[in-house]
Amino acid sequence: MTPSIGQQQSLVSIILSGSPIVQFVLLLLLAFSIGSLGVILYKFRQLRAARKQSERFLEIFWEAKNLAAISSASAELKQSPVAHVFRSGYQELQRFTRSSTKKSGTWGGEAESTDLGGIENVERAMRRATNQEVTRLEKALTFLATTASTSPFVGLFGTVWGIYHALTAIGIAGQASIDKVAGPVGEALIMTALGLAVAVPAVLGYNWLVRRNRVAMELIRHFGGGVHMSLIGRGGRTRRDSES
């Protein structure tokens, strides 16, 4: 049977006329709910943009003829983790190429050790960029985990306080009349339901985002190795062409 308007109004009045502790719990759960919804929507848009721009970057990477063209095209793909990893490695490769070209006439006998150091610098720059992208993708997930784990206990605290309030009302009245205990018991039941209502979407959103992040991170790590080898191979050819 559908609740009448009077019953719905009495439910609202129970919340508004509740004790300050119950109202504080209600506001805290409301803040958790709004915050978790905002995080889920923000991360959804972030991951969608990262996936689309990464797909676009992969097309550019395999179709372009040289590294400069790839770097120029990837500059517009700000949300692509793969493009960021490539730019970090390419910028380090450019610094290494310029410095090795200047030293080639003076340090010709140490060219092999210099090449190895440059390769390690490129690899280090790409590893650092990969860690930065992983951190960016995992940002704000802690709030969802905190909301999912604490909201039921916050609601349980409201429940315990509501029951305590009901027993206090019974003790003051001296009799267990329904009008004395209905309000506090209603507060208790509402807090329990709200705690679960806030926690369940946070858990579902957290698990979904973690799964999407795992796929994105695997793409970054897998493609990072291919980008590293491509940078070293193409960069070596570019350097030999400039020296000749």
Side-chain angles (χ1 to χ4, degrees), residues 45-62:
R45 294 182 60 183
Q46 181 189 45
L47 290 173
R48 183 178 61 178
R51 178 178 58 83
K52 290 183 178 180
Q53 293 190 10
S54 294
E55 292 175 353
R56 175 57 183 160
F57 173 77
L58 292 178
E59 295 177 358
I60 295 173
F61 181 82
W62 296 117

Side-chain angles (χ1 to χ4, degrees), residues 56-78:
R56 175 57 183 160
F57 173 77
L58 292 178
E59 295 177 358
I60 295 173
F61 181 82
W62 296 117
E63 293 176 358
K65 301 298 182 181
N66 55 73
L67 295 177
I70 300 175
S71 178
S72 177
S74 66
E76 301 177 357
L77 306 176
K78 302 295 185 181

Side-chain angles (χ1 to χ4, degrees), residues 174-219:
Q175 56 182 355
S177 59
I178 190 64
D179 59 329
K180 297 296 182 180
V181 299
V185 171
E187 293 176 359
L189 297 177
I190 291 172
M191 292 302 106
T192 301
L194 289 178
L196 295 176
V198 172
V200 171
V203 170
L204 296 177
Y206 176 81
N207 291 335
W208 179 77
L209 290 172
V210 166
R211 185 169 60 252
R212 294 288 298 269
N213 279 351
R214 188 178 297 115
V215 174
M217 287 184 285
E218 286 298 323
L219 174 62

Side-chain angles (χ1 to χ4, degrees), residues 30-43:
L30 181 62
F32 276 152
S33 178
I34 295 175
S36 61
L37 179 61
V39 169
I40 292 173
L41 294 177
Y42 167 74
K43 298 299 292 184

